Amino acid sequence: MSNDKITLGEKIIVAGFPLSGKLSDDVKINSGIVSGLSGMSNDSSLFQFDAAVQPGNSGGPVLNEYGEWIGIVASMATDDFFYEISGQYPENVNFAIKGSIPLDLINEKNIETIKNFFLFRNKLTTEEVAILAKESAVHLTCTKK
């Protein structure tokens, strides 16, 4: 987990299982940047990013270029909503919950976590971050009975 503030333009990687049942069952990795520091209606608990996501990415990790977890994929802008208000279809307008939000809850509840074990904080290659993302993403399907 990163203790740094999220910065505009910061490179990120998202991991998840988009379009589960339609695409392969393997984790998918997409990269992009932090394109906004807040969500819809200036919601400061979210940040905006441009890495492509689909249904099935929700709940997946957002990692920075150090391989640190900075957020959780929460939602994507819906085409119909934005078309109705602007006459335009959004492209890669997505939102994540800032990592500081669940981290505050984890700290408040005294939940033990794995601390950063890196001796030196180095930027990683996209491939190295993708490996970390793949190892930290779990495919979970919820169904009604």
Side-chain angles (χ1 to χ4, degrees), residues 40 77-91 93:
M40 298 272 295
T78 59
D79 290 346
D80 294 339
F81 173 78
F82 277 93
Y83 188 79
E84 285 180 25
I85 62 173
S86 71
Q88 301 287 323
Y89 289 108
E91 291 187 28
V93 177

mmCIF file of all heavy atoms in Angstrom, residues 40 77-91 93:
data_model
loop_
_atom_site.group_PDB
_atom_site.id
_atom_site.type_symbol
_atom_site.label_atom_id
_atom_site.label_comp_id
_atom_site.label_asym_id
_atom_site.label_seq_id
_atom_site.Cartn_x
_atom_site.Cartn_y
_atom_site.Cartn_z
ATOM 1 N N MET A 40 -17.128 11.809 -9.614
ATOM 2 C CA MET A 40 -18.314 12.560 -10.023
ATOM 3 C C MET A 40 -18.739 13.502 -8.903
ATOM 4 O O MET A 40 -18.624 13.159 -7.723
ATOM 5 C CB MET A 40 -19.457 11.596 -10.341
ATOM 6 C CG MET A 40 -19.171 10.649 -11.479
ATOM 7 S SD MET A 40 -19.591 11.307 -13.066
ATOM 8 C CE MET A 40 -21.348 11.451 -12.931
ATOM 9 N N ALA A 77 -17.802 5.338 -16.286
ATOM 10 C CA ALA A 77 -18.855 6.244 -16.742
ATOM 11 C C ALA A 77 -19.747 5.493 -17.718
ATOM 12 O O ALA A 77 -19.261 4.827 -18.629
ATOM 13 C CB ALA A 77 -18.233 7.466 -17.403
ATOM 14 N N THR A 78 -21.035 5.585 -17.519
ATOM 15 C CA THR A 78 -21.960 4.883 -18.413
ATOM 16 C C THR A 78 -22.268 5.740 -19.635
ATOM 17 O O THR A 78 -22.461 6.947 -19.539
ATOM 18 C CB THR A 78 -23.273 4.521 -17.692
ATOM 19 O OG1 THR A 78 -23.877 5.722 -17.208
ATOM 20 C CG2 THR A 78 -23.022 3.564 -16.537
ATOM 21 N N ASP A 79 -22.286 5.088 -20.770
ATOM 22 C CA ASP A 79 -22.514 5.786 -22.034
ATOM 23 C C ASP A 79 -23.824 6.553 -22.051
ATOM 24 O O ASP A 79 -23.865 7.725 -22.410
ATOM 25 C CB ASP A 79 -22.509 4.788 -23.200
ATOM 26 C CG ASP A 79 -21.133 4.225 -23.480
ATOM 27 O OD1 ASP A 79 -20.145 4.777 -22.968
ATOM 28 O OD2 ASP A 79 -21.055 3.244 -24.218
ATOM 29 N N ASP A 80 -24.911 5.897 -21.672
ATOM 30 C CA ASP A 80 -26.232 6.519 -21.756
ATOM 31 C C ASP A 80 -26.335 7.772 -20.901
ATOM 32 O O ASP A 80 -26.858 8.796 -21.341
ATOM 33 C CB ASP A 80 -27.328 5.528 -21.358
ATOM 34 C CG ASP A 80 -27.448 4.377 -22.338
ATOM 35 O OD1 ASP A 80 -27.006 4.524 -23.500
ATOM 36 O OD2 ASP A 80 -27.978 3.325 -21.932
ATOM 37 N N PHE A 81 -25.828 7.703 -19.675
ATOM 38 C CA PHE A 81 -25.904 8.842 -18.767
ATOM 39 C C PHE A 81 -25.194 10.054 -19.359
ATOM 40 O O PHE A 81 -25.738 11.148 -19.425
ATOM 41 C CB PHE A 81 -25.312 8.482 -17.399
ATOM 42 C CG PHE A 81 -25.216 9.655 -16.464
ATOM 43 C CD1 PHE A 81 -26.342 10.121 -15.804
ATOM 44 C CD2 PHE A 81 -24.009 10.301 -16.250
ATOM 45 C CE1 PHE A 81 -26.263 11.208 -14.937
ATOM 46 C CE2 PHE A 81 -23.924 11.386 -15.391
ATOM 47 C CZ PHE A 81 -25.052 11.843 -14.740
ATOM 48 N N PHE A 82 -23.953 9.868 -19.808
ATOM 49 C CA PHE A 82 -23.189 10.990 -20.335
ATOM 50 C C PHE A 82 -23.722 11.477 -21.671
ATOM 51 O O PHE A 82 -23.685 12.670 -21.968
ATOM 52 C CB PHE A 82 -21.703 10.637 -20.435
ATOM 53 C CG PHE A 82 -20.988 10.826 -19.138
ATOM 54 C CD1 PHE A 82 -20.844 9.772 -18.261
ATOM 55 C CD2 PHE A 82 -20.496 12.065 -18.773
ATOM 56 C CE1 PHE A 82 -20.211 9.941 -17.051
ATOM 57 C CE2 PHE A 82 -19.859 12.250 -17.562
ATOM 58 C CZ PHE A 82 -19.723 11.187 -16.702
ATOM 59 N N TYR A 83 -24.259 10.574 -22.471
ATOM 60 C CA TYR A 83 -24.835 10.994 -23.743
ATOM 61 C C TYR A 83 -26.056 11.889 -23.506
ATOM 62 O O TYR A 83 -26.235 12.898 -24.188
ATOM 63 C CB TYR A 83 -25.208 9.793 -24.610
ATOM 64 C CG TYR A 83 -25.627 10.218 -25.999
ATOM 65 C CD1 TYR A 83 -24.659 10.537 -26.945
ATOM 66 C CD2 TYR A 83 -26.967 10.340 -26.334
ATOM 67 C CE1 TYR A 83 -25.023 10.968 -28.214
ATOM 68 C CE2 TYR A 83 -27.340 10.771 -27.592
ATOM 69 C CZ TYR A 83 -26.367 11.080 -28.531
ATOM 70 O OH TYR A 83 -26.728 11.507 -29.772
ATOM 71 N N GLU A 84 -26.853 11.524 -22.525
ATOM 72 C CA GLU A 84 -28.039 12.327 -22.209
ATOM 73 C C GLU A 84 -27.682 13.733 -21.745
ATOM 74 O O GLU A 84 -28.375 14.688 -22.076
ATOM 75 C CB GLU A 84 -28.883 11.637 -21.137
ATOM 76 C CG GLU A 84 -29.674 10.455 -21.651
ATOM 77 C CD GLU A 84 -30.502 9.800 -20.558
ATOM 78 O OE1 GLU A 84 -30.843 10.480 -19.573
ATOM 79 O OE2 GLU A 84 -30.789 8.599 -20.698
ATOM 80 N N ILE A 85 -26.612 13.872 -20.973
ATOM 81 C CA ILE A 85 -26.281 15.197 -20.439
ATOM 82 C C ILE A 85 -25.345 16.001 -21.345
ATOM 83 O O ILE A 85 -25.279 17.222 -21.220
ATOM 84 C CB ILE A 85 -25.693 15.127 -19.008
ATOM 85 C CG1 ILE A 85 -24.381 14.349 -18.980
ATOM 86 C CG2 ILE A 85 -26.698 14.541 -18.041
ATOM 87 C CD1 ILE A 85 -23.661 14.384 -17.646
ATOM 88 N N SER A 86 -24.622 15.311 -22.251
ATOM 89 C CA SER A 86 -23.631 16.045 -23.052
ATOM 90 C C SER A 86 -23.733 15.821 -24.555
ATOM 91 O O SER A 86 -23.131 16.555 -25.323
ATOM 92 C CB SER A 86 -22.216 15.658 -22.601
ATOM 93 O OG SER A 86 -21.925 14.334 -23.005
ATOM 94 N N GLY A 87 -24.459 14.784 -24.965
ATOM 95 C CA GLY A 87 -24.501 14.454 -26.392
ATOM 96 C C GLY A 87 -23.244 13.743 -26.866
ATOM 97 O O GLY A 87 -23.042 13.546 -28.054
ATOM 98 N N GLN A 88 -22.385 13.351 -25.924
ATOM 99 C CA GLN A 88 -21.127 12.669 -26.237
ATOM 100 C C GLN A 88 -21.049 11.355 -25.470
ATOM 101 O O GLN A 88 -21.570 11.244 -24.361
ATOM 102 C CB GLN A 88 -19.925 13.530 -25.824
ATOM 103 C CG GLN A 88 -19.873 14.882 -26.484
ATOM 104 C CD GLN A 88 -19.476 14.782 -27.938
ATOM 105 O OE1 GLN A 88 -18.649 13.962 -28.307
ATOM 106 N NE2 GLN A 88 -20.086 15.604 -28.774
ATOM 107 N N TYR A 89 -20.383 10.378 -26.069
ATOM 108 C CA TYR A 89 -20.121 9.127 -25.372
ATOM 109 C C TYR A 89 -18.757 9.224 -24.694
ATOM 110 O O TYR A 89 -17.785 9.637 -25.320
ATOM 111 C CB TYR A 89 -20.142 7.942 -26.331
ATOM 112 C CG TYR A 89 -21.525 7.611 -26.831
ATOM 113 C CD1 TYR A 89 -21.898 7.879 -28.145
ATOM 114 C CD2 TYR A 89 -22.457 7.033 -25.982
ATOM 115 C CE1 TYR A 89 -23.182 7.574 -28.597
ATOM 116 C CE2 TYR A 89 -23.737 6.727 -26.414
ATOM 117 C CZ TYR A 89 -24.088 6.995 -27.727
ATOM 118 O OH TYR A 89 -25.352 6.708 -28.155
ATOM 119 N N PRO A 90 -18.664 8.841 -23.414
ATOM 120 C CA PRO A 90 -17.373 8.908 -22.712
ATOM 121 C C PRO A 90 -16.436 7.802 -23.189
ATOM 122 O O PRO A 90 -16.882 6.738 -23.600
ATOM 123 C CB PRO A 90 -17.756 8.690 -21.251
ATOM 124 C CG PRO A 90 -18.992 7.860 -21.317
ATOM 125 C CD PRO A 90 -19.717 8.301 -22.566
ATOM 126 N N GLU A 91 -15.153 8.090 -23.132
ATOM 127 C CA GLU A 91 -14.141 7.081 -23.443
ATOM 128 C C GLU A 91 -13.174 6.988 -22.279
ATOM 129 O O GLU A 91 -12.543 7.979 -21.912
ATOM 130 C CB GLU A 91 -13.379 7.450 -24.720
ATOM 131 C CG GLU A 91 -14.225 7.353 -25.967
ATOM 132 C CD GLU A 91 -13.411 7.555 -27.226
ATOM 133 O OE1 GLU A 91 -12.206 7.254 -27.214
ATOM 134 O OE2 GLU A 91 -13.988 8.033 -28.214
ATOM 135 N N VAL A 93 -13.451 6.843 -19.050
ATOM 136 C CA VAL A 93 -13.700 7.678 -17.876
ATOM 137 C C VAL A 93 -14.121 6.710 -16.769
ATOM 138 O O VAL A 93 -15.238 6.217 -16.754
ATOM 139 C CB VAL A 93 -14.795 8.737 -18.134
ATOM 140 C CG1 VAL A 93 -15.075 9.536 -16.871
ATOM 141 C CG2 VAL A 93 -14.400 9.644 -19.289
#
